[in-house]
Amino acid sequence: MGGSILVTSEVGRGSEFSMLLPLATEAGGSVVRGMAPAGQSPRPVDERPHTLRILLAEDNPVTQLVAATMLRKHGHQVDLVSNGRDAVAAVQREAYDVVLMDIQMPEMDGFEATAAIRALPGRGGLPIIALTAHAFSEERERCLAAGMTDFLSKPFRSAELLAMVEGAGGAAGRAVMPAAGPPAVDLDTLRRQLSDAGADAALDDIVDVFLASVPERVQALEAALARGIAADIAFAAHALKSSAGTIGAAPLATLLADIEAAARANALSNTANLAIRVREGADAVLADLRLYRGRAA
């Protein structure tokens, strides 16, 4: 299948549509197992190259059908559910590599379902990609603040869907190590800036000030998230973001920028999960900086 084909154009393919439509329309709130595309015999999962186990939570039967067809044609296994409550139940029962989560679904929407999945033991790091008809940056920020991993607007192209799913889920069966993420903190930029200003010796003092002040700022943000007052959350996230950005803690600064933006838009959800992510991110930065300064944690 070409990567330039729009999602909406797949529906017109008669044999695949007639073959797979019962899968989409008969989902009826229960998981529907993946089947091979029309004209192909099913192959065992372990014989498919780079197979991922994917849960697609989508209540629109046409979108459900087309996305599943795209993924199956590239060797992935897809289970289907049509509401958020069944998505949570499926994740409780099965081990998925990726979840594609529609935002607007009956019984339980995508935000509620994501929050419930994040609360499950061992599912905190499961990639959850939001599917939404809205392409606004505010919608992306809302999805990230709700604990989703990434965001894909509809209609999407097959190449976009595959790139995001395979990037999030990795490639099963590959004998390679996953690419390392960005470091918790990188002092090189700050070091260069100080060097340009002729203030190289100030780096250690700045690190010491960060180590002394940031734990209190983290506690302030955790307290604001617990209260759930958007203005307080935005203020606390902004203050901590400035410190993180200055020291070179890019992943933490990005998370805090997302939280700040969502709070200002009154679009925050699952604040308990956000507090955990902030604490984990800050602890990683502090540990690296203490190591740099030769201090015990």
Side-chain angles (χ1 to χ4, degrees):
M1 178 179 300
S4 63
I5 299 174
L6 283 169
V7 135
T8 50
S9 70
E10 285 286 335
V11 176
R13 300 185 63 169
S15 61
E16 288 179 1
F17 188 82
S18 61
M19 184 74 172
L20 291 172
L21 185 57
L23 287 177
T25 56
E26 292 173 13
S30 61
V31 174
V32 181
R33 296 291 179 200
M35 65 173 285
Q40 295 183 17
S41 299
R43 289 188 295 167
V45 170
D46 58 4
E47 292 181 11
R48 296 172 184 159
H50 319 316
T51 296
L52 295 176
R53 182 83 181 275
I54 300 165
L55 177 67
L56 173 58
E58 166 66 64
D59 69 321
N60 184 304
V62 174
T63 302
Q64 188 185 71
L65 165 65
V66 173
T69 301
M70 289 177 175
L71 294 167
R72 289 172 182 147
K73 273 189 169 290
H74 284 261
H76 300 306
Q77 181 179 347
V78 184
D79 290 349
L80 307 176
V81 294
S82 57
N83 64 68
R85 195 175 306 281
D86 288 334
V88 177
V91 171
Q92 283 181 303
R93 293 191 305 268
E94 308 287 348
Y96 290 101
D97 297 302
V98 184
V99 175
L100 291 167
M101 183 74 73
D102 185 35
I103 297 302
Q104 296 181 332
M105 291 185 292
E107 297 190 38
M108 178 185 285
D109 66 24
F111 294 120
E112 295 174 302
T114 296
I117 289 171
R118 291 290 182 233
L120 295 174
R123 299 297 191 269
L126 175 64
I128 300 176
I129 299 171
L131 299 178
T132 173
H134 304 295
F136 309 117
S137 59
E138 293 84 357
E139 184 77 354
R140 180 179 186 277
E141 291 160 359
R142 185 183 178 197
C143 292
L144 295 177
M148 294 175 175
T149 310
D150 217 325
F151 167 100
L152 188 61
S153 59
K154 299 182 284 188
F156 43 77
R157 297 178 183 273
S158 58
E160 295 170 337
L161 175 64
L162 289 162
M164 187 162 289
V165 166
E166 292 172 354
R174 288 184 181 174
V176 296
M177 294 297 292
V185 60
D186 185 350
L187 293 173
D188 287 347
T189 299
L190 178 57
R191 184 181 284 110
R192 285 194 298 270
Q193 292 172 344
L194 293 173
S195 179
D196 291 344
D200 305 65
L203 179 61
D204 289 355
D205 291 338
I206 294 171
V207 170
D208 289 344
V209 169
F210 186 95
L211 289 170
S213 62
V214 162
E216 184 176 348
R217 291 187 184 276
V218 172
Q219 291 174 359
L221 178 54
E222 288 176 326
L225 288 165
R227 291 193 300 272
I229 300 174
D232 292 350
I233 294 170
F235 180 84
H238 180 82
L240 182 54
K241 179 191 71 176
S242 298
S243 297
T246 298
I247 206 70
L252 178 59
T254 299
L255 171 62
L256 294 165
D258 289 340
I259 293 173
E260 179 187 3
R264 294 192 188 284
N266 288 313
L268 279 172
S269 64
N270 198 9
T271 53
N273 176 263
L274 292 176
I276 293 172
R277 293 172 62 194
V278 168
R279 169 60 64 180
E280 290 176 346
D283 284 349
V285 173
L286 293 170
D288 283 358
L289 292 177
R290 291 186 184 113
L291 183 63
Y292 164 76
R293 295 293 284 138
R295 301 179 185 176

